[in-house]
Amino acid sequence: MSITATTALPRNRARRLPEQVLRLGIVVLLIVVITVLGCLVSDRFGTLNNFLNVYEQSTDLALVALGQTLTILTGGIDLSVGSMISLLSVLTSGIINSNGDLVLPVCAGIIVLGMVIGLINGIAIVMLRVHPLIVTLGTGAVLQGLALLYTMAPAGGVPDGFDFLAYGRIADISVGATIVLLVYLLASFLMRRTATGRNIYAIGDDRHAAVLLGLPVKRLTMLVYTLSGLLCAMTAIYLVARFGSGQPYAGANYTLASVTPVVVGGTMLSGGRGGVIGTLLGAYLIALLNDFLNFLHVSTEIQLVVQGLIIMLAVSAYREGKRG
Amino acid sequence: MKVDAIPQVRSLVTKSGRGSKPRLSDSIARYAIYIFLVLLLILSGIAAPSFLSQQNLSNLVLQTVPLAIVVIGQAIVIMTGGLDLSVASVMATAAVAGTCFAGGVGAVIEILVVSLFIGGATGLVNGLLVAKRQVSPFLATLASMIVLQGLRFAWTKGAPSGGLPPILRVVGSGTWHGIPVNLAVLAVLAVAACFIVHFTLLGRRFMITGGNQVTARLLGYPVDRIIIGSYVASGLLAAIAGVVLGGYAEIVDNQVGRGFELDSIVAAVIGGVALSGGRGTIPGALAGAAVLMLAANAVLLLGLPIQFQIVLKGVVIVLAAACYVRR
């Protein structure tokens, strides 16, 4: 590790600026290409309505992927997000159980629980010194088991009006998606303008150097996993609002899917390089791509193939150079 | 940390490493997985005498072999410094492709050729992406997993595809005097892999490349070809495992081997293969696979709800991995 770090460093520094341009450039380019192609294919693709629709459809993925971005920026990964979303979503609807009085306290409780689970991930990673991939894989299995022990079928329900979070609109603009956009802008500001944000980059760039600089590496590691847990809790509540109940496998697909917008958006799995806005664009790109393929009447299976190829294309364009 | 893994390399690059003398805790960690395996066997036997019946043991082996075959490939990739998330997708695709052939001995050869081609080609793509384009292994193999999944579903339209020919059904699920037939397949592959990884120069090069790629390049090893080779090996083994598992299942569907991508990583890691590369043994990884299956079986023996299998797996993963961390 020490050898690769020292030999890689000067090259990184030299490439820093063009890489930042390249990073957002690729995802923006892909979005433009798909938009142009879409407009050629159908008149309805280029309408405002369609773009708002795509914007709304990227909400859930964007939310999980934000937490994933933070953990990946530190050089880690959170593979427990899917199970965490599953567990928290069944708990949300199961405990609320269509009782309107419980909505606020339960949602608050779920958010706290999400943060606690995330914190446990962070503590386990720091204390056991095991690779985050393995730790979160393990806690993910535990959480999935707990979700299934709680219920094997969709549980409980939510009162009318709860779906405002997912389907509500103010002047045609989706409420849920706008909240997510604001969260992203806030996160982007914090990551760029605060010492904590820059320290998170520093850990991912060179953990050893961060330790030598006296940065609170352990606390920051716990922080990013706690934030990932918080965002999972928000996603879980959003999904309950969208589907009307929590399901024990609601989050299963998010585990690996949450990594895609992050890397397509130019964040390196090796940590330290990338950013949250790229992830937002990555999530939008994926929603746009699926929308485009729907216009082409391409089956969902082929959509998967195209998505896989887009990942290969995007990440091989970035050239990581480091293992992650 | 990676430098510490290989004494020869360390002496090349630095004089002051941490103590190179083997410590007691290290040797305990080295054999922990075998001790754990024996303990699990004994405890299972005590908890339920029926566990030791020939019937139950042969069932357990039948179920463990496909995972064990995948784990061999996964272990080779991880030792070389990578990770292969596409194995389960390769398994299912190979098994589904196998159902397109019906009939006798000739079909078996055709199935083997086709499935090995699928596995080898996927491994080659993974390897090229990782070695030549420097894509992180996680992403390269994730992408090929998704692509294969899509192609498979497009081909089958999501419906189960029927079964494999009878001969392969025997290989996958048959027993001979109470000994599972698929154990023979595993034995051949395991011995071959063990020999190559631990007793040949090639195996040494796998390890050194995984331990420190820069050093391996400096030593003049064909690093790119070594990395590509590890993914091809993993793809081929996954394809074989897919056919064996397909022979075990009566009906082959798109989900054959679901979960094996993560299970195989877990088995290798709890068997002492370090995710950072360059360390681990094939027998250890195989023991890891056995422990994983035995732990799942123990939940049933103890009469606990089946959901506990998943919880227990999670706990085993974290604790076992923690045992191997070098303090």
Side-chain angles (χ1 to χ4, degrees), chain A residues 23 58-78 81 85 176-192 197 200-201 223-235 254-263 265 267 274-284 286:
Chain A
R23 187 163 60 77
S58 62
T59 308
D60 47 340
L61 191 59
L63 210 45
V64 203
L66 177 56
Q68 194 68 271
T69 311
L70 298 181
T71 59
I72 290 176
L73 278 177
T74 63
I77 196 166
D78 188 348
V81 290
I85 292 169
T178 306
I179 294 175
V180 171
L181 181 65
L182 294 177
V183 170
Y184 261 91
L185 292 178
L186 178 69
S188 177
F189 174 79
L190 293 177
M191 290 303 284
R192 283 167 182 280
I200 287 174
Y201 276 96
L223 175 71
V224 294
Y225 287 91
T226 308
L227 289 175
S228 176
L230 166 72
L231 288 156
C232 285
M234 289 170 68
T235 313
Y254 290 99
T255 303
L256 294 176
S258 65
V259 180
T260 312
V262 182
V263 297
T267 298
V276 294
I277 294 299
T279 304
L280 183 63
L281 292 174
Y284 185 80
I286 288 162

Side-chain angles (χ1 to χ4, degrees), chain A residues 24-80:
Chain A
L24 289 180
I26 288 177
V27 63
V28 169
L29 183 72
L30 284 170
I31 288 177
V32 170
V33 167
I34 293 173
T35 309
V36 170
L37 286 177
C39 291
L40 292 177
V41 166
S42 164
D43 304 336
R44 282 174 298 140
F45 191 87
T47 58
L48 181 66
N49 213 4
N50 186 45
F51 288 125
L52 286 177
N53 201 8
V54 172
Y55 168 64
E56 190 177 341
Q57 267 165 11
S58 62
T59 308
D60 47 340
L61 191 59
L63 210 45
V64 203
L66 177 56
Q68 194 68 271
T69 311
L70 298 181
T71 59
I72 290 176
L73 278 177
T74 63
I77 196 166
D78 188 348
L79 290 186
S80 68

Side-chain angles (χ1 to χ4, degrees), chain B residues 66-129:
Chain B
L67 177 64
I69 296 176
V70 181
V71 168
I72 297 173
Q74 187 71 263
I76 293 175
V77 171
I78 298 178
M79 285 169 189
T80 317
L83 196 70
D84 193 349
L85 287 177
S86 67
V87 286
S89 230
V90 169
M91 287 177 74
T93 311
V96 165
T99 59
C100 300
F101 302 92
V105 184
V108 173
I109 295 168
E110 285 169 351
I111 288 174
L112 275 182
V113 169
V114 168
S115 56
L116 287 177
F117 174 76
I118 292 171
T122 311
L124 186 64
V125 171
N126 288 336
L128 286 172
L129 281 172

